[in-house]
Amino acid sequence: MSKNKSLSASIMHAPASIEKTWNALIRRWRTRLSGPPARRPISLALQGGGAHGAFTWGVLDALLENGKIPIVAISGSSAGAVNAALVANGWMVNGPEGARKALADFWQDLGAQIPWQLLSHKVGDDGIELHSSVKAMASLMMQFSPANINPLAINPLRGLLVNHINFEQLRKHSPFALFLAATHVNSGNLKIFRETEITPDVLLASACLPAIHSTIEINGEAYWDGGYSANPPLLPLLKNNRNSDILLIMASPSQHRETPKTLKSIERALHEIGFESTLMREIEMLKWMIETAPKHQHDGVMQPALKLHTIAPMPILAMQSEGSRVLAHPDSLAQFKLHGIQRGKEYLAKHK
């Protein structure tokens, strides 16, 4: 009997533990021949949250600096839609580094739009404190509709978007599939705008809070903030690429430090619950799909065909202070960004 036949015969009659070790060696040998396993593509889902979008900026900065995450699609609502467009536009120009620059340029310019030295007198760990006269004026303005206060529908965000995003080129050459959410006012239905449809009005519609901004009309239809119907949309990402994992980046803490008790804190909590209810339903649906879908074998271990990852901010005081979503103070934005970078790096360290 030859040496090879003798070896094969001994393996066939070897104890189960030896056979298991042998099979592991064979798998390792095959892996070395074929190279490292292919990275699963990632679809990003970016939640809205006004100035809290700077936290998402920080998370994205950490992920993009890593440079090893194969992004195939991005969905977003409100500030999440703006961040999605900025990443796509910057990537189109200069890859991940271009995306990092696009995000930084936009958020820094946003923080410089308002003369904060005239409006506020304190910025600390617990957020911004406005002058009492500014608070009184803001309270008075909330008694009127945007159409009364701003009949010309002037929105400074439009100029910022036009200056920072090449919409014509992005419609033609977006590096990712984009799914940008807005809410159709007259039906309450979710409207998804794709990368081939992106305009300043699409982003303004996705970020349109009707108590603050005038309603945005696109092709004769009225739209409000996408967060009312999906914050952000998840299922379009699954339909777009069933082989990609979904990474959800939330823009606000998922839990509060304490139970709301004052009228203002209760109203705010109810508002947040309303904005996140559709997301929670989509997450539950995805969890059910993950649990019931057939699993595949990877390196001897059964793995789900789809994974849902989440990065959310910790309940830091500055993000839970009154008005933290709408007051884009440069110091607050920088604080949110640094927290986002920290959370992004924690995620990368955990998931390699």
Side-chain angles (χ1 to χ4, degrees), residues 46-67:
L46 310 181
Q47 192 176 51
H52 290 184
F55 169 81
T56 304
W57 164 30
V59 174
L60 291 170
D61 188 76
L63 300 181
L64 293 165
E65 183 183 27
N66 175 267

Side-chain angles (χ1 to χ4, degrees), residues 113-288:
Q113 291 293 301
I114 299 174
W116 290 105
Q117 66 275 14
L118 304 178
L119 303 179
S120 61
H121 59 84
K122 177 187 173 186
V123 179
D125 291 340
D126 56 348
I128 305 164
E129 185 175 328
L130 297 175
H131 289 302
S132 57
S133 58
V134 176
K135 289 182 180 179
M137 184 178 296
S139 179
L140 178 63
M141 290 175 66
M142 291 302 291
Q143 307 303 314
F144 301 91
S145 73
N148 298 133
I149 300 172
N150 185 12
L152 298 180
I154 297 171
N155 190 336
L157 181 58
R158 182 184 295 276
L160 271 178
L161 294 172
V162 170
N163 288 338
H164 287 273
I165 297 173
N166 187 331
F167 287 94
E168 182 179 357
Q169 288 300 309
L170 190 55
R171 285 193 294 271
K172 297 177 182 176
H173 306 296
S174 176
F176 321 114
L178 297 179
F179 302 88
L180 310 177
T183 302
H184 186 259
V185 175
N186 295 325
S187 67
N189 291 332
L190 169 66
K191 168 65 177 178
I192 295 291
F193 290 96
R194 296 299 309 275
E195 65 276 8
T196 54
E197 305 171 283
I198 190 170
T199 64
D201 278 341
V202 165
L203 295 183
L204 291 174
S206 185
C208 177
L209 293 172
I212 300 175
H213 303 296
S214 298
T215 299
I216 302 296
E217 287 198 5
I218 300 174
N219 298 327
E221 300 291 338
Y223 294 98
W224 285 342
D225 196 292
Y228 293 118
S229 52
N231 192 24
L234 301 180
L235 292 181
L237 297 175
L238 181 60
K239 293 177 182 177
N240 175 68
N241 191 326
R242 291 181 177 271
N243 295 318
S244 70
D245 289 347
I246 295 176
L247 173 55
L248 167 64
I249 303 177
M250 302 183 72
S252 295
S254 56
Q255 292 186 345
H256 295 274
R257 287 177 176 265
E258 57 186 27
T259 302
K261 295 177 181 177
T262 66
L263 180 59
K264 283 188 175 180
S265 64
I266 291 170
E267 288 177 346
R268 180 183 171 195
L270 288 172
H271 179 77
E272 291 177 355
I273 290 170
F275 256 69
E276 294 185 3
S277 59
T278 54
L279 173 63
M280 294 302 106
R281 285 196 295 271
E282 280 199 276
I283 288 177
E284 288 303 313
M285 187 181 298
L286 278 177
K287 285 182 177 178
W288 176 82

